Amino acid sequence: MREGLLPEKNKKMDTKVIKIQAKGGALSSREEQALQEAGEVLRRGGLVAFPTETVYGLGGDALNPASSRKIYEAKGRPSDNPLIVHIARMEDLAPIVKEVPREARRIAEVFWPGPLTMILPKAPKVPYETTGGLETVAVRMPSHPVAQRLIIYGGGYVAAPSANLSGRPSPTAAKYVIEDMDGRINMIIDGGEGDIGLESTIVDLTVSPPQILRPGYITQEMLAQVLGQVSVDRTILEADSGQAPRAPGMKYRHYAPRGELTIISGSSEQVTAYINARTAQDRAAGHRVGVIGTDEVLTQYRADVIRSLGSRQDEDSIARHLYSILREFDDEKVTRIYSECFEATGLGQAIMNRLLKAAGHKLIALDGNREL
Ligand code: TXA
Ligand code: MG
């Protein structure tokens, strides 16, 4: 048989892609209808990828164990890694948790809808397939208008991990979801590029004081203003604290680019000079080299592929562009990547958490200062 006549490998179903612009947050009647149809797919146990303000999610009915099993299969994700349940209305929280503690109400008032996930003891109606066997459930109320409508049309509870194949960077645009999920899920809603670009902050409210298990756009400082004391899981920035991270997903080597990534810290002169020297050596040894830099010094690099995360003055831009640049480097087939380093405070805590994970914690401190 000619190759073209063979069924495409791994292509199991036709994935419908629909575009929703939601201009100014408002949906046209055609868009509303399309989302109703997508909600119907969820209710029938199908999978729909959708935009949120953080990254694209891979949605299934959170209360249907078969849907959760399909999510793990589509992502190629270990099933002990629990899913986040997305809701769209505050009154939908109580039915899926044992109780709604006062702290949960307070942070919901300030940060929901938005990029914050809370861990609470689960109610019996949430299947263990969704919580990866845990007695707790992760809940988030996204602010993206398309996500909110889809959740309502889908029955109120949508389990959604990031819509990437396990081990790849979370998708910040529909084209990346299509790359990873075409043929594996029923539908992809293209709602343009994500606003934040990094996954939600996860805060565990089952411990006292509450603890951040994954840093994100809602920072430790912001949470502390509402909750008083907030601790941070030590494994977030440390390479070998000898402890397992408390969010099961954080133990996997996520966000790993195909090229070997090293982070370089120091003064900007030290960093650019060092990266250029290493690049020259690597190229002489036959490597194709990529650099992740910032606007301020970008013209100084000499490498095969040079990308800017934006200005150092604009942390939001750094967060928003990180994953797409890592994906681009995979496509560009670079075998060595050097990245500038960032201050791990505020939003920088989330940026450095993802960057260090992508680098397998390879950091070279030129000023001898390994403290982040
Ligand atoms: O921004 C986001 O949160 C995105 C969008 C789609 O909403 N979703 C997302 O999901 O990042 P995912 O599955 O890629 O990451 C969920 C993380 C994992 O690290 C998982 O281990 C942790 O949340 N998690 C979920 N339930 C948990 C629980 N009950 N206890 C501790 N960690 C939990
Ligand atoms: Mg993920």
Side-chain angles (χ1 to χ4, degrees):
M1 216 187 309
R2 279 207 339 266
E3 215 181 315
L5 297 175
L6 288 167
E8 235 182 282
K9 221 168 136 198
N10 291 332
K11 180 125 185 164
K12 296 182 200 124
M13 59 174 103
D14 278 326
T15 302
K16 188 170 172 182
V17 180
I18 56 172
K19 263 203 163 77
I20 307 251
Q21 286 187 309
K23 281 209 176 115
L27 297 163
S28 69
S29 60
R30 183 199 62 80
E31 291 178 332
E32 198 79 53
Q33 215 184 334
L35 284 181
Q36 240 165 329
E37 198 191 310
E40 197 49 45
V41 171
L42 291 175
R43 284 174 196 264
R44 286 200 309 261
L47 302 185
V48 178
F50 61 98
T52 82
E53 69 278 18
T54 57
V55 298
Y56 274 76
L58 171 52
D61 179 353
L63 304 184
N64 178 351
S67 296
S68 293
R69 279 195 295 268
K70 280 191 208 167
I71 290 177
Y72 290 114
E73 199 187 309
K75 270 184 76 87
R77 171 170 176 159
S79 59
D80 69 341
N81 190 355
L83 307 173
I84 296 175
V85 178
H86 294 66
I87 61 173
R89 297 167 295 221
M90 195 56 200
E91 65 264 31
D92 292 337
L93 177 61
I96 56 167
V97 297
K98 270 225 175 89
E99 55 162 344
V100 182
R102 211 165 52 96
E103 288 107 329
R105 277 191 204 291
R106 295 187 58 199
I107 55 177
E109 264 167 35
V110 181
F111 301 113
W112 273 4
L116 181 78
T117 297
M118 298 185 211
I119 309 286
L120 293 164
K122 81 174 194 73
K125 100 188 248 173
V126 183
Y128 287 113
E129 281 79 357
T130 300
T131 67
L134 297 177
E135 291 298 338
T136 54
V137 60
V139 192
R140 163 159 126 82
M141 188 192 290
S143 62
H144 197 294
V146 172
Q148 288 185 351
R149 295 306 258 228
L150 178 70
I151 293 164
I152 305 261
Y153 287 133
Y157 298 100
V158 175
S162 48
N164 51 284
L165 284 174
S166 196
R168 301 209 69 198
S170 295
T172 50
K175 64 178 175 191
Y176 301 130
V177 182
I178 295 169
E179 248 173 54
D180 283 11
M181 290 298 154
D182 186 33
R184 293 175 164 263
I185 62 177
N186 302 89
M187 206 184 256
I188 295 171
I189 301 172
D190 178 351
E193 287 192 17
D195 197 29
I196 294 173
L198 297 179
E199 307 85 344
S200 62
T201 305
I202 301 179
V203 60
D204 184 354
L205 294 179
T206 68
V207 294
S208 184
Q211 187 174 54
I212 294 175
L213 307 187
R214 178 174 74 182
Y217 196 78
I218 307 296
T219 62
Q220 183 178 7
E221 293 79 3
M222 290 159 80
L223 282 168
Q225 272 187 11
V226 180
L227 293 173
Q229 229 191 331
V230 181
S231 69
V232 178
D233 186 348
R234 280 178 51 212
T235 62
I236 278 175
L237 295 173
E238 286 173 30
D240 36 32
S241 57
Q243 269 179 300
R246 299 198 44 244
M250 302 291 277
K251 73 174 180 261
Y252 297 104
R253 187 166 175 248
H254 264 182
Y255 328 114
R258 293 186 186 122
E260 187 184 337
L261 169 63
T262 310
I263 305 165
I264 314 296
S265 80
S267 71
S268 74
E269 297 77 27
Q270 280 176 323
V271 170
T272 47
Y274 181 86
I275 289 178
N276 283 338
R278 285 285 296 262
T279 299
Q281 280 173 14
D282 289 343
R283 287 170 97 182
H287 283 288
R288 187 168 154 78
V289 182
V291 172
I292 303 178
T294 48
D295 288 354
E296 285 79 359
V297 290
L298 206 69
T299 56
Q300 298 180 34
Y301 291 114
R302 307 277 169 268
D304 297 296
V305 189
I306 302 162
R307 291 285 178 273
S308 176
L309 291 164
S311 165
R312 273 196 175 264
Q313 308 306 315
D314 183 359
E315 275 195 323
D316 287 7
S317 162
I318 311 268
R320 195 182 308 124
H321 296 119
L322 180 61
Y323 286 153
S324 59
I325 289 179
L326 290 175
R327 276 188 181 254
E328 258 186 72
F329 280 167
D330 283 349
D331 295 341
E332 290 277 358
K333 303 207 164 38
V334 293
T335 52
R336 288 278 165 85
I337 305 168
Y338 297 99
S339 174
E340 293 179 21
C341 189
F342 301 91
E343 203 76 52
T345 53
L347 180 55
Q349 190 170 61
I351 294 168
M352 283 309 295
N353 167 255
R354 308 311 196 271
L355 199 53
L356 281 163
K357 277 161 71 75
H361 287 271
K362 250 188 284 84
L363 174 88
I364 294 176
L366 299 173
D367 49 9
N369 179 12
R370 271 184 169 270
E371 291 295 308
L372 287 169

